[in-house]
């Protein structure tokens, strides 16, 4: 844990020393430096505002996509339910025929048993 703290302190101190060294060795005057800092600040503000705007647009798109996805899932599940119901309706007559055939086979087996006795 102390290694992480010392690394963080070292990075912070190094960053401050580097910043001060850069300011002191800059060939431009204080007025030019302030002007550049203000320009950079405005550019960063513009970038932050653009990121905010794009993140809001992304949020709207995500919400819209989620709604559309929900609708698609509902449609697919409704279609699936219709297909299952149609399959059940299509197989119902065959079930009755199979049950009738089983009953006939059962009655024939009983007849055979009676005739063998």
């Amino acid at each position: 844990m102390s290694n992480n703290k010392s690394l963080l302190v070292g990075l912070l101190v190094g960053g401050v020393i580097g910043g001060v060294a850069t300011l002191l060795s800059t060939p431009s005057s204080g007025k030019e430096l302030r002007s550049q800092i203000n320009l950079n600040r405005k550019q960063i503000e513009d970038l932050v505002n653009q990121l905010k705007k794009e993140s809001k647009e992304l949020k709207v798109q995500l919400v819209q996509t989620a709604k559309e996805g929900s609708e698609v899932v509902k449609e697919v599940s409704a279609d699936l339910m219709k297909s299952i119901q149609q399959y059940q309706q299509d197989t119902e007559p065959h079930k009755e025929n199979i049950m009738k055939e089983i009953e006939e086979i059962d009655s024939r087996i009983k007849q055979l048993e009676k005739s063998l006795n």
Side-chain angles (χ1 to χ4, degrees):
M1 187 62 131
S2 66
N3 287 339
N4 290 337
K5 284 185 179 181
S6 63
L7 176 65
L8 184 61
V9 170
L11 288 174
L12 185 62
V13 170
V16 170
I17 292 173
V20 170
T22 302
L23 286 175
L24 294 176
S25 64
T26 306
S28 58
S29 69
K31 193 174 195 178
E32 290 174 355
L33 184 61
R34 285 190 297 275
S35 172
Q36 289 175 350
I37 290 173
N38 281 333
L39 179 63
N40 289 341
R41 182 186 54 84
K42 288 178 184 178
Q43 289 175 345
I44 290 173
E45 285 176 354
D46 291 343
L47 181 61
V48 168
N49 289 332
Q50 181 181 0
L51 288 173
K52 284 182 185 178
K53 179 183 173 187
E54 289 177 1
S55 65
K56 287 178 184 179
E57 291 173 357
L58 180 61
K59 179 184 172 187
V60 169
Q61 288 177 351
L62 287 173
V63 168
Q64 181 66 27
T65 301
K67 286 179 183 178
E68 290 173 359
S70 174
E71 291 172 6
V72 167
V73 168
K74 287 179 185 177
E75 289 175 7
V76 167
S77 65
D79 289 344
L80 185 59
M81 290 301 294
K82 286 179 185 177
S83 295
I84 290 171
Q85 289 173 351
Q86 183 64 40
Y87 174 77
Q88 289 174 341
Q89 289 174 355
D90 290 346
T91 58
E92 190 62 36
H94 299 292
K95 286 181 184 179
E96 292 175 14
N97 290 337
I98 291 172
M99 291 303 293
K100 287 179 184 177
E101 288 181 18
I102 290 172
E103 288 174 6
E104 287 178 15
I105 291 171
D106 189 40
S107 70
R108 287 183 186 163
I109 289 173
K110 287 180 184 178
Q111 288 175 356
L112 280 172
E113 287 176 352
K114 284 181 183 180
S115 67
L116 289 175
N117 288 333

